[in-house]
Amino acid sequence: MPSSNPPSRRNTTPARSPRAGRSFPAETRPAGSGIVILDFGSQYTQLIARRLRELEVFAEILPYHAAPETILARRPAGIILSGGPASVHRRGSPRPHPGILECGLPVLGICYGMQLLVQLHGGRVAPTGRREYGAATATLRGSDPLLAGLPRKLPVWMSHGDGAKNLGNGFRVLARTETAPYAAIADPAKRLYGVQFHPEVAHTPDGARLLANFARRICGVRARWTMESFLEESVRRVRAQVGEGKVVCALSGGVDSSVAAALLSRAVGKRLHCIYVDTGLGRYGDVEHLRAAFKGYRLNLKVVDASPLFLRRLRGVADPERKRKIIGRTFIEVFDREAKRIRGVEYLAQGTLYPDVIESVSVHGPSAVIKSHHNVGGLPKRMKLKLVEPLRLLFKDEVRRLGRAMGMSPTLIGRHPFPGPGLAVRVLGAVTPERLERLRLADRIFQEELRSSGWYDKVWQAFAVLLPVRTVGVMGDERTHDYALALRSVNSVDGMTADWSRLPHDLLARASSRIVSEVRGINRVAYDVTSKPPATIEWE
Ligand code: XMP
């Protein structure tokens, strides 16, 4: 969650960032050090960027209609045209700006992107008659640099219903499969390349090599984009943006805001003011962990205990959406009040990540827009501060790598996602201090057992949920009539879909028996075995 997002709002519509498409000032990167990917709406577009970055080649995604000036302002070494769900032979299908083929930069078209290249050069693309979806073997031909080091029989992943029927001027065939005569094509003189398959997906095991060949051998990218180089560049950029100004940052203790704060502390030191709003809805030991994690950093950290206010406002509220609204509003109010106490503050740091920034393309619906649905942009507008977003070019796993590169604690960097409204949405029904305490203790036991068994790092998110249901039990000779608790653990990549974790029975048994014997008021523990969809990860 971006650092200054108030912990509120839950909706499921991916939001389009009003500032989408903006980026680092290009001049901070040397010319020819990266690749621009034009997004034609493929679900794999972000994967192309990630693969290139794993190869230490900087990659940025722009909408397919980006003007040549916009592209050239990034000073890229080459352009990739992504796949997409449309058909190039249909009227109104998305096209790149005609000028991009005149930029003189090498271009690689993937799937729909290749079909575009063929059509724009006088070739013909038509439906193949049947959709080709799945694994295939491409037989490579010739010794083009794109194919350097690849096996002559290349396992590839196909997903297309159209195909090139004949090629336009200048293209020759680099690979074919049993069903696709033009599986890879090239016009080396113009440095135009196309592949019908998807080199970016894991099912094309040597795909990364092909992308590396394009970036390094054909486009000539020399620079190595590493977390260390990113860190250096970001510190320089933040200093240039902020000058002698003061920055305020809402530290939540989560990975994004913590990494953003650590980076800003390097850039501006004591001119960084972090505010941690203690809502009283956090996990056991949250505040102590945060203080310990930031001990020794050059920054100002203020912990504001606002828990009485939050609990008062939540009294008697059972509706999850109302809970979220109350918490979000109260958070902004408290943060705003505290921030105003810092004299002369001009900047607000926010841990916005790349998936929230990429402008989604409406081709037939948006491209794979990863969740930005829990992000709320209320703070900056209200506070009239200028935004500093040092993580806006990073994917989530890159934020973790950046944290590691800065030597941050592995426990902090490996933390599971935690919802802004905190335990309030895990105490089902009305929130009371007693219920919160009960849940907090049970949750602590579950976390301890996950860590000691080595399972914490193998799952995406795990937590306990206190149910508003009493069940009958027996302890000693007495009958009990206490509350039931659910444990939830899921595996996921981005939180959009998830599967329940197959935790070992022994682990569940230990957690359950400890919870029932150590936490008063709980006499039954259930394990949630539902995936998302149809369920959500949280219960409220
Ligand atoms: P769901 O329950 O929608 O959750 O499957 C997906 C991911 O989002 C987190 N989540 C929230 N995060 N504010 C947040 O900052 C919220 O209101 C909220 N609701 C759910 C959830 O923990 C999971 O990681």
Side-chain angles (χ1 to χ4, degrees):
M1 189 181 75
S3 57
S4 49
N5 282 340
S8 72
R9 196 162 89 190
R10 172 197 174 101
N11 67 61
T12 43
T13 340
R16 188 177 146 136
S17 159
R19 287 160 287 108
R22 243 185 30 186
S23 172
F24 264 18
E27 66 276 14
T28 60
R29 276 194 307 273
S33 59
I35 301 288
V36 161
I37 300 161
L38 296 185
D39 181 13
F40 288 86
S42 162
Q43 56 177 324
Y44 300 133
T45 302
Q46 292 194 17
L47 265 185
I48 308 172
R50 300 174 65 117
R51 289 287 165 270
L52 286 165
R53 290 175 179 205
E54 282 160 18
L55 295 162
E56 300 184 344
V57 173
F58 182 72
E60 246 191 297
I61 300 172
L62 294 179
Y64 67 86
H65 47 72
E69 309 84 79
T70 313
I71 298 171
L72 291 175
R74 264 75 179 176
R75 309 170 85 193
I79 299 174
I80 291 183
L81 312 179
S82 84
S87 288
V88 295
H89 48 81
R90 291 258 165 80
R91 270 173 56 152
S93 54
R95 312 269 139 158
H97 189 289
I100 70 143
L101 292 177
E102 273 122 51
C103 292
L105 291 172
V107 179
L108 169 67
I110 295 176
C111 196
Y112 180 86
M114 163 178 145
Q115 293 160 11
L116 272 173
L117 283 181
V118 169
Q119 200 185 50
L120 292 172
H121 289 83
R124 198 168 78 81
V125 176
T128 54
R130 80 188 165 91
R131 222 182 129 65
E132 190 181 12
Y133 183 83
T137 302
T139 306
L140 309 191
R141 188 195 284 179
S143 59
D144 192 278
L146 188 73
L147 310 180
L150 293 174
R152 303 312 282 175
K153 296 273 179 206
L154 183 71
V156 297
W157 185 258
M158 291 286 200
S159 172
H160 64 117
D162 292 341
K165 294 291 165 203
N166 57 57
L167 300 178
N169 284 340
F171 280 113
R172 55 189 167 79
V173 180
L174 297 185
R176 55 180 304 137
T177 68
E178 239 169 56
T179 47
Y182 308 119
I185 59 169
D187 178 346
K190 293 202 189 111
R191 299 194 296 172
L192 301 178
Y193 289 84
V195 288
Q196 183 55 70
F197 53 88
H198 288 273
E200 68 277 23
V201 305
H203 299 290
T204 302
D206 294 296
R209 169 151 285 217
L210 186 144
L211 292 172
N213 286 342
F214 176 68
R216 303 265 182 223
R217 290 172 189 262
I218 293 163
C219 302
V221 175
R222 292 279 160 268
R224 300 243 156 234
W225 189 78
T226 60
M227 275 307 138
E228 286 70 22
S229 64
F230 176 83
L231 178 60
E232 234 173 76
E233 181 181 317
S234 303
V235 166
R236 224 179 309 128
R237 192 186 62 99
V238 169
R239 285 189 184 141
Q241 183 189 357
V242 168
E244 289 302 307
K246 287 184 186 169
V247 184
V248 62
C249 168
L251 196 51
S252 71
V255 180
D256 305 343
S257 69
S258 299
V259 172
L263 193 154
L264 287 164
S265 140
R266 286 197 180 211
V268 303
K270 284 281 190 185
R271 281 179 286 117
L272 173 65
H273 294 256
C274 293
I275 298 173
Y276 177 83
V277 178
D278 183 358
T279 59
L281 306 167
R283 282 183 162 170
Y284 193 88
D286 270 358
V287 177
E288 292 73 26
H289 291 148
L290 184 88
R291 284 194 195 280
F294 282 95
K295 206 161 163 245
Y297 276 73
R298 268 171 53 77
L299 51 78
N300 299 288
L301 171 60
K302 169 122 192 226
V303 175
V304 187
D305 180 7
S307 47
L309 178 65
F310 279 88
L311 292 184
R312 199 170 64 238
R313 290 192 179 168
L314 284 170
R315 195 176 294 151
V317 178
D319 175 61
E321 295 318 305
R322 271 196 65 212
K323 285 186 193 175
R324 281 186 166 82
K325 284 214 176 81
I326 291 169
I327 296 166
R329 210 171 349 103
T330 309
F331 180 92
I332 293 184
E333 199 181 298
V334 174
F335 183 80
D336 192 24
R337 195 180 60 219
E338 286 305 319
K340 286 204 172 108
R341 298 205 168 132
I342 308 165
R343 285 189 41 191
V345 67
E346 277 178 80
Y347 295 91
L348 174 70
Q350 207 163 323
T352 317
L353 302 191
Y354 200 44
D356 304 324
V357 173
I358 301 169
E359 191 170 346
S360 66
V361 173
S362 189
V363 178
H364 288 292
S367 73
V369 181
I370 309 282
K371 72 158 194 165
S372 53
H373 60 291
H374 295 305
N375 299 340
V376 182
L379 271 178
K381 229 202 268 159
R382 177 182 169 124
M383 300 179 66
K384 302 197 180 71
L385 295 174
K386 291 174 237 167
L387 276 183
V388 184
E389 298 176 304
L391 310 180
R392 60 181 285 119
L393 280 181
L394 298 186
F395 290 107
K396 186 83 186 182
D397 50 328
E398 293 171 336
V399 174
R400 293 208 161 97
R401 277 172 48 213
L402 177 62
R404 272 184 235 119
M406 289 190 286
M408 296 180 76
S409 123
T411 319
L412 183 70
I413 297 306
R415 265 186 71 143
H416 290 170
F418 187 67
L423 300 185
V425 290
R426 295 178 180 171
V427 167
L428 305 194
V431 178
T432 65
E434 299 71 40
R435 289 174 156 199
L436 273 175
E437 189 54 16
R438 212 171 279 155
L439 174 62
R440 202 171 273 134
L441 291 173
D443 186 69
R444 173 166 80 154
I445 293 171
F446 190 32
Q447 303 296 320
E448 281 172 1
E449 292 300 330
L450 285 160
R451 286 201 189 273
S452 63
S453 60
W455 274 83
Y456 185 89
D457 294 326
K458 294 187 200 161
V459 303
W460 198 72
Q461 192 174 13
F463 54 91
V465 183
L466 185 66
L467 310 187
V469 183
R470 280 178 184 262
T471 73
V472 177
V474 51
M475 269 191 201
D477 295 331
E478 304 263 325
R479 289 222 165 245
T480 59
H481 197 221
D482 285 335
Y483 286 96
L485 178 109
L487 299 179
R488 177 102 164 117
S489 175
V490 294
N491 296 358
S492 174
V493 177
D494 52 22
M496 296 293 271
T497 60
D499 194 11
W500 59 278
S501 319
R502 272 47 168 186
L503 294 183
H505 289 179
D506 285 356
L507 163 58
L508 291 170
R510 265 194 318 276
S512 157
S513 80
R514 275 193 63 196
I515 289 170
V516 172
S517 62
E518 293 175 33
V519 186
R520 280 175 69 117
I522 294 177
N523 67 355
R524 193 176 294 270
V525 174
Y527 186 54
D528 183 345
V529 290
T530 336
S531 59
K532 170 184 180 176
T536 48
I537 294 176
E538 302 290 344
W539 278 42
E540 274 198 340

